[in-house]
Amino acid sequence: MNKLSLKDIEVKDKKVLMRVDFNVPLDGNCNITDDTRIKAALPSIKYLIEKGAKLILVSHLCRPKGNVIEKMRLTPAGTRLGELLGIKVAKLNDCVGSEVEKEADKLKSGEVLLLENARFHKEEEKNDANFSRSMAKLADIYVNDAFGTAHRAHASTVGIAMFINKVACGFLMEKEIKALNKLTENPEKPFTLIMGGAKLADKIPVMESLIDKIDTLLLGGGVAYTFCKAKNWTIGDSLVDEACVDLAKEIITKMRKKRVELHTPLDHVIAQEISENAQTITTERGAVPAGWKGVDIGPQAIEEYETEISLSKTVFWNGPVGVFEIDKFAKGSIAIAKALANNTDAYTVVGGGDSIAAVNKAGVADKISHISTGGGASLEYLAGIELPGIAALTDK
Ligand code: AMP
């Protein structure tokens, strides 16, 4: 990493504003259902407390689109952080302005203040310079530890860096970058890429960018059907991204030229509707009847994919291979998660909220080499795109 790290700067008695990713899932009663992202920020937070910084945290939560939405306050995240740290975390109701500045000035070394959801201001996502300047006024040092939003050029991830002299990279951000670099810089072979989920347009750049590194591409989930369509197989009413069919054809040709083995599922679990009560049957590849859609990979595909994964030395997985939110369509994704966990010889990385949820559902999170907290950010990083949140950090 050629960026200034938290370890490179003197933080004692300094006001440090750190961008974290506390965009945690909440249930209808604002209870946090998964605190992984808060826990992932703890190493940087604990370090800054121990070193005597006056710590100010800023994050976004969901998409309030510039409005104050009660259910999107960061209050539950502040409470949870306080529990995890065993100290009181003061939570403010805004992230800029004179009141916030007064509270920031009152902070003592080792204390922690959590600001309100930055996206309550529309200027945040617009990367507005005045808003960035107001936020920068709160602190002496800026640290970005929010890998999950590093692909967004917002005020709290990019704009603020223009108005503070010292801009450093947090430990989580460093860990994420190192883990992903291991996939691109001399990955141990065979390298298997597994791509599932629904949004094929987000995944194609990664397939293209990793084409010279990977040996095998396993396709599942909704994205597999656009490839099946590109091969003229019958896919019934399965999800298809019409705009990407030609691109899928190009990928098939490119992979063949590069001798990458591209697998589409040998069989599918299909249903007439995506619901808990749907009746399912299994069909061979290319035989999904009209009125039916693929909702999971079938047993033959699971077996084949398990074998491929067991023979790999490096694996990156993004996107569930079925509509895993519904238990009866989650078998394939759980099998993939377990296959990754069982291959203890391989370097395994999982990115994307849904694949992580599948890994958690399978109960194997501790057996995966690296779980990336940033789905979109990890895809863009692996696609070779410079992430604005990383570019904005000071070079060493
Ligand atoms: P993505 O964000 O692109 O990784 O997509 C994740 C979503 O893909 C999840 O909500 C899954 O339910 C969905 N998904 C997975 N398999 C399928 C499928 N066969 N048909 C439709 N959606 C799917």
mmCIF file of all heavy atoms in Angstrom, residues 196-200 202-203 220-223 225 238-239 274 293-296 318-325 352 354-355, ligand 1:
data_model
loop_
_atom_site.group_PDB
_atom_site.id
_atom_site.type_symbol
_atom_site.label_atom_id
_atom_site.label_comp_id
_atom_site.label_asym_id
_atom_site.label_seq_id
_atom_site.Cartn_x
_atom_site.Cartn_y
_atom_site.Cartn_z
ATOM 1 N N GLY A 196 -22.456 -15.274 -9.148
ATOM 2 C CA GLY A 196 -23.903 -15.515 -9.125
ATOM 3 C C GLY A 196 -24.617 -14.189 -8.970
ATOM 4 O O GLY A 196 -24.097 -13.156 -9.388
ATOM 5 N N GLY A 197 -25.787 -14.219 -8.339
ATOM 6 C CA GLY A 197 -26.536 -12.980 -8.118
ATOM 7 C C GLY A 197 -27.368 -12.602 -9.319
ATOM 8 O O GLY A 197 -27.615 -13.430 -10.212
ATOM 9 N N ALA A 198 -27.774 -11.336 -9.349
ATOM 10 C CA ALA A 198 -28.737 -10.905 -10.354
ATOM 11 C C ALA A 198 -28.178 -9.860 -11.326
ATOM 12 O O ALA A 198 -28.544 -9.855 -12.500
ATOM 13 C CB ALA A 198 -29.967 -10.331 -9.645
ATOM 14 N N LYS A 199 -27.303 -8.985 -10.840
ATOM 15 C CA LYS A 199 -26.895 -7.839 -11.658
ATOM 16 C C LYS A 199 -25.640 -8.162 -12.486
ATOM 17 O O LYS A 199 -24.514 -7.877 -12.080
ATOM 18 C CB LYS A 199 -26.655 -6.618 -10.759
ATOM 19 C CG LYS A 199 -27.933 -6.159 -10.044
ATOM 20 C CD LYS A 199 -27.734 -4.925 -9.225
ATOM 21 C CE LYS A 199 -27.193 -5.062 -7.877
ATOM 22 N NZ LYS A 199 -27.578 -5.810 -6.805
ATOM 23 N N LEU A 200 -25.879 -8.748 -13.657
ATOM 24 C CA LEU A 200 -24.761 -9.197 -14.494
ATOM 25 C C LEU A 200 -23.852 -8.037 -14.914
ATOM 26 O O LEU A 200 -22.636 -8.191 -14.967
ATOM 27 C CB LEU A 200 -25.306 -9.928 -15.726
ATOM 28 C CG LEU A 200 -24.262 -10.468 -16.702
ATOM 29 C CD1 LEU A 200 -23.277 -11.390 -16.011
ATOM 30 C CD2 LEU A 200 -24.931 -11.185 -17.860
ATOM 31 N N ASP A 202 -22.804 -5.625 -13.325
ATOM 32 C CA ASP A 202 -21.789 -5.331 -12.300
ATOM 33 C C ASP A 202 -20.663 -6.365 -12.304
ATOM 34 O O ASP A 202 -19.584 -6.125 -11.776
ATOM 35 C CB ASP A 202 -22.403 -5.387 -10.882
ATOM 36 C CG ASP A 202 -23.373 -4.251 -10.630
ATOM 37 O OD1 ASP A 202 -23.484 -3.369 -11.490
ATOM 38 O OD2 ASP A 202 -24.010 -4.260 -9.559
ATOM 39 N N LYS A 203 -20.960 -7.551 -12.823
ATOM 40 C CA LYS A 203 -19.996 -8.663 -12.698
ATOM 41 C C LYS A 203 -19.122 -8.821 -13.938
ATOM 42 O O LYS A 203 -17.992 -9.302 -13.842
ATOM 43 C CB LYS A 203 -20.725 -9.996 -12.437
ATOM 44 C CG LYS A 203 -22.013 -9.880 -11.640
ATOM 45 C CD LYS A 203 -21.887 -10.280 -10.199
ATOM 46 C CE LYS A 203 -23.127 -9.833 -9.429
ATOM 47 N NZ LYS A 203 -23.289 -10.359 -8.121
ATOM 48 N N GLY A 220 -23.642 -19.073 -11.682
ATOM 49 C CA GLY A 220 -24.857 -19.535 -11.014
ATOM 50 C C GLY A 220 -25.806 -18.372 -10.856
ATOM 51 O O GLY A 220 -25.550 -17.272 -11.360
ATOM 52 N N GLY A 221 -26.908 -18.606 -10.142
ATOM 53 C CA GLY A 221 -27.861 -17.527 -9.884
ATOM 54 C C GLY A 221 -28.474 -16.989 -11.160
ATOM 55 O O GLY A 221 -28.438 -17.629 -12.219
ATOM 56 N N GLY A 222 -29.004 -15.777 -11.050
ATOM 57 C CA GLY A 222 -29.650 -15.167 -12.207
ATOM 58 C C GLY A 222 -28.681 -14.923 -13.337
ATOM 59 O O GLY A 222 -29.038 -15.063 -14.507
ATOM 60 N N VAL A 223 -27.432 -14.573 -13.024
ATOM 61 C CA VAL A 223 -26.489 -14.198 -14.090
ATOM 62 C C VAL A 223 -26.215 -15.355 -15.050
ATOM 63 O O VAL A 223 -25.899 -15.142 -16.221
ATOM 64 C CB VAL A 223 -25.153 -13.626 -13.536
ATOM 65 C CG1 VAL A 223 -25.402 -12.446 -12.613
ATOM 66 C CG2 VAL A 223 -24.308 -14.660 -12.860
ATOM 67 N N TYR A 225 -28.270 -17.319 -16.434
ATOM 68 C CA TYR A 225 -29.263 -17.496 -17.492
ATOM 69 C C TYR A 225 -29.004 -16.619 -18.714
ATOM 70 O O TYR A 225 -29.379 -16.977 -19.837
ATOM 71 C CB TYR A 225 -30.684 -17.304 -16.932
ATOM 72 C CG TYR A 225 -30.972 -18.390 -15.934
ATOM 73 C CD1 TYR A 225 -30.862 -18.149 -14.570
ATOM 74 C CD2 TYR A 225 -31.241 -19.685 -16.356
ATOM 75 C CE1 TYR A 225 -31.040 -19.160 -13.650
ATOM 76 C CE2 TYR A 225 -31.423 -20.711 -15.445
ATOM 77 C CZ TYR A 225 -31.317 -20.445 -14.091
ATOM 78 O OH TYR A 225 -31.473 -21.456 -13.195
ATOM 79 N N SER A 238 -36.744 -17.554 -16.791
ATOM 80 C CA SER A 238 -35.637 -17.227 -15.871
ATOM 81 C C SER A 238 -35.165 -15.800 -16.104
ATOM 82 O O SER A 238 -35.349 -15.245 -17.193
ATOM 83 C CB SER A 238 -34.449 -18.166 -16.105
ATOM 84 O OG SER A 238 -34.851 -19.493 -15.938
ATOM 85 N N LEU A 239 -34.518 -15.259 -15.064
ATOM 86 C CA LEU A 239 -33.996 -13.890 -15.138
ATOM 87 C C LEU A 239 -32.998 -13.781 -16.295
ATOM 88 O O LEU A 239 -32.107 -14.618 -16.425
ATOM 89 C CB LEU A 239 -33.282 -13.565 -13.821
ATOM 90 C CG LEU A 239 -32.778 -12.144 -13.680
ATOM 91 C CD1 LEU A 239 -33.930 -11.211 -13.318
ATOM 92 C CD2 LEU A 239 -31.723 -12.068 -12.586
ATOM 93 N N ILE A 274 -41.503 -17.099 -7.377
ATOM 94 C CA ILE A 274 -40.464 -17.005 -6.353
ATOM 95 C C ILE A 274 -41.180 -16.773 -5.023
ATOM 96 O O ILE A 274 -41.495 -15.641 -4.655
ATOM 97 C CB ILE A 274 -39.450 -15.894 -6.703
ATOM 98 C CG1 ILE A 274 -38.712 -16.293 -7.969
ATOM 99 C CG2 ILE A 274 -38.489 -15.640 -5.539
ATOM 100 C CD1 ILE A 274 -37.590 -15.411 -8.410
ATOM 101 N N LYS A 293 -39.122 -20.641 -13.899
ATOM 102 C CA LYS A 293 -37.846 -19.907 -13.842
ATOM 103 C C LYS A 293 -36.851 -20.634 -12.952
ATOM 104 O O LYS A 293 -37.252 -21.291 -11.973
ATOM 105 C CB LYS A 293 -38.069 -18.474 -13.367
ATOM 106 C CG LYS A 293 -38.852 -18.315 -12.090
ATOM 107 C CD LYS A 293 -39.177 -16.851 -11.848
ATOM 108 C CE LYS A 293 -40.611 -16.555 -12.187
ATOM 109 N NZ LYS A 293 -41.098 -15.327 -12.450
ATOM 110 N N GLY A 294 -35.578 -20.481 -13.303
ATOM 111 C CA GLY A 294 -34.523 -21.090 -12.488
ATOM 112 C C GLY A 294 -34.372 -20.314 -11.189
ATOM 113 O O GLY A 294 -34.269 -19.090 -11.206
ATOM 114 N N VAL A 295 -34.377 -21.046 -10.064
ATOM 115 C CA VAL A 295 -34.272 -20.375 -8.763
ATOM 116 C C VAL A 295 -33.060 -20.852 -7.951
ATOM 117 O O VAL A 295 -32.717 -20.257 -6.934
ATOM 118 C CB VAL A 295 -35.563 -20.550 -7.926
ATOM 119 C CG1 VAL A 295 -36.701 -19.750 -8.522
ATOM 120 C CG2 VAL A 295 -35.941 -22.028 -7.790
ATOM 121 N N ASP A 296 -32.433 -21.952 -8.420
ATOM 122 C CA ASP A 296 -31.233 -22.446 -7.737
ATOM 123 C C ASP A 296 -30.513 -23.388 -8.694
ATOM 124 O O ASP A 296 -31.115 -23.871 -9.659
ATOM 125 C CB ASP A 296 -31.625 -23.203 -6.453
ATOM 126 C CG ASP A 296 -30.450 -23.373 -5.478
ATOM 127 O OD1 ASP A 296 -29.352 -22.852 -5.774
ATOM 128 O OD2 ASP A 296 -30.630 -24.028 -4.436
ATOM 129 N N ASN A 318 -18.666 -14.104 -5.634
ATOM 130 C CA ASN A 318 -19.586 -12.973 -5.476
ATOM 131 C C ASN A 318 -20.944 -13.354 -6.049
ATOM 132 O O ASN A 318 -21.045 -13.746 -7.213
ATOM 133 C CB ASN A 318 -19.050 -11.738 -6.216
ATOM 134 C CG ASN A 318 -20.044 -10.589 -6.178
ATOM 135 O OD1 ASN A 318 -21.055 -10.600 -6.875
ATOM 136 N ND2 ASN A 318 -19.771 -9.610 -5.345
ATOM 137 N N GLY A 319 -21.973 -13.245 -5.227
ATOM 138 C CA GLY A 319 -23.348 -13.455 -5.701
ATOM 139 C C GLY A 319 -23.851 -14.853 -5.430
ATOM 140 O O GLY A 319 -23.227 -15.831 -5.854
ATOM 141 N N PRO A 320 -25.003 -14.966 -4.751
ATOM 142 C CA PRO A 320 -25.564 -16.292 -4.457
ATOM 143 C C PRO A 320 -25.956 -17.022 -5.747
ATOM 144 O O PRO A 320 -26.322 -16.366 -6.729
ATOM 145 C CB PRO A 320 -26.805 -15.976 -3.610
ATOM 146 C CG PRO A 320 -27.152 -14.564 -3.930
ATOM 147 C CD PRO A 320 -25.867 -13.871 -4.266
ATOM 148 N N VAL A 321 -25.879 -18.355 -5.724
ATOM 149 C CA VAL A 321 -26.188 -19.111 -6.947
ATOM 150 C C VAL A 321 -27.677 -19.437 -7.072
ATOM 151 O O VAL A 321 -28.092 -20.155 -7.975
ATOM 152 C CB VAL A 321 -25.321 -20.394 -7.062
ATOM 153 C CG1 VAL A 321 -23.854 -20.024 -7.245
ATOM 154 C CG2 VAL A 321 -25.523 -21.313 -5.864
ATOM 155 N N GLY A 322 -28.468 -18.916 -6.143
ATOM 156 C CA GLY A 322 -29.918 -19.076 -6.218
ATOM 157 C C GLY A 322 -30.573 -17.985 -5.393
ATOM 158 O O GLY A 322 -29.883 -17.160 -4.774
ATOM 159 N N VAL A 323 -31.899 -17.988 -5.391
ATOM 160 C CA VAL A 323 -32.632 -16.989 -4.597
ATOM 161 C C VAL A 323 -32.575 -17.450 -3.139
ATOM 162 O O VAL A 323 -33.551 -17.968 -2.578
ATOM 163 C CB VAL A 323 -34.083 -16.846 -5.109
ATOM 164 C CG1 VAL A 323 -34.804 -15.713 -4.388
ATOM 165 C CG2 VAL A 323 -34.100 -16.577 -6.613
ATOM 166 N N PHE A 324 -31.400 -17.289 -2.541
ATOM 167 C CA PHE A 324 -31.090 -17.934 -1.255
ATOM 168 C C PHE A 324 -31.910 -17.361 -0.095
ATOM 169 O O PHE A 324 -31.984 -17.964 0.960
ATOM 170 C CB PHE A 324 -29.588 -17.771 -0.949
ATOM 171 C CG PHE A 324 -29.273 -16.425 -0.375
ATOM 172 C CD1 PHE A 324 -28.996 -16.282 0.969
ATOM 173 C CD2 PHE A 324 -29.330 -15.307 -1.168
ATOM 174 C CE1 PHE A 324 -28.766 -15.036 1.518
ATOM 175 C CE2 PHE A 324 -29.103 -14.052 -0.640
ATOM 176 C CZ PHE A 324 -28.819 -13.917 0.698
ATOM 177 N N GLU A 325 -32.537 -16.182 -0.304
ATOM 178 C CA GLU A 325 -33.338 -15.599 0.774
ATOM 179 C C GLU A 325 -34.478 -16.549 1.145
ATOM 180 O O GLU A 325 -34.986 -16.519 2.264
ATOM 181 C CB GLU A 325 -33.943 -14.251 0.351
ATOM 182 C CG GLU A 325 -32.930 -13.142 0.087
ATOM 183 C CD GLU A 325 -32.505 -13.053 -1.380
ATOM 184 O OE1 GLU A 325 -32.579 -14.076 -2.107
ATOM 185 O OE2 GLU A 325 -32.069 -11.963 -1.792
ATOM 186 N N GLY A 352 -19.613 -9.228 -1.231
ATOM 187 C CA GLY A 352 -21.019 -8.971 -1.547
ATOM 188 C C GLY A 352 -21.926 -9.409 -0.427
ATOM 189 O O GLY A 352 -21.790 -10.538 0.079
ATOM 190 N N ASP A 354 -24.951 -10.420 -0.156
ATOM 191 C CA ASP A 354 -25.767 -11.633 -0.247
ATOM 192 C C ASP A 354 -24.932 -12.900 -0.126
ATOM 193 O O ASP A 354 -25.360 -13.860 0.507
ATOM 194 C CB ASP A 354 -26.531 -11.641 -1.566
ATOM 195 C CG ASP A 354 -27.610 -10.578 -1.575
ATOM 196 O OD1 ASP A 354 -28.348 -10.486 -0.589
ATOM 197 O OD2 ASP A 354 -27.690 -9.822 -2.557
ATOM 198 N N SER A 355 -23.748 -12.898 -0.713
ATOM 199 C CA SER A 355 -22.900 -14.097 -0.585
ATOM 200 C C SER A 355 -22.444 -14.238 0.862
ATOM 201 O O SER A 355 -22.326 -15.353 1.385
ATOM 202 C CB SER A 355 -21.671 -14.022 -1.485
ATOM 203 O OG SER A 355 -21.904 -13.241 -2.591
HETATM 204 P P1 AMP B 1 -26.378 -9.385 -6.781
HETATM 205 O O1 AMP B 1 -26.566 -8.174 -5.925
HETATM 206 O O2 AMP B 1 -26.266 -9.070 -8.219
HETATM 207 O O3 AMP B 1 -25.258 -10.262 -6.291
HETATM 208 O O4 AMP B 1 -27.732 -10.221 -6.657
HETATM 209 C C1 AMP B 1 -28.152 -10.822 -5.483
HETATM 210 C C2 AMP B 1 -29.567 -11.309 -5.691
HETATM 211 O O5 AMP B 1 -29.590 -12.250 -6.746
HETATM 212 C C3 AMP B 1 -30.179 -12.012 -4.496
HETATM 213 O O6 AMP B 1 -31.202 -11.206 -3.970
HETATM 214 C C4 AMP B 1 -30.735 -13.307 -5.077
HETATM 215 O O7 AMP B 1 -32.034 -13.612 -4.642
HETATM 216 C C5 AMP B 1 -30.747 -13.014 -6.561
HETATM 217 N N1 AMP B 1 -30.724 -14.244 -7.353
HETATM 218 C C6 AMP B 1 -29.908 -15.295 -7.223
HETATM 219 N N2 AMP B 1 -30.246 -16.275 -8.088
HETATM 220 C C7 AMP B 1 -31.302 -15.820 -8.803
HETATM 221 C C8 AMP B 1 -32.123 -16.366 -9.828
HETATM 222 N N3 AMP B 1 -31.883 -17.594 -10.309
HETATM 223 N N4 AMP B 1 -33.126 -15.622 -10.302
HETATM 224 C C9 AMP B 1 -33.372 -14.391 -9.822
HETATM 225 N N5 AMP B 1 -32.638 -13.811 -8.837
HETATM 226 C C10 AMP B 1 -31.613 -14.517 -8.323
#
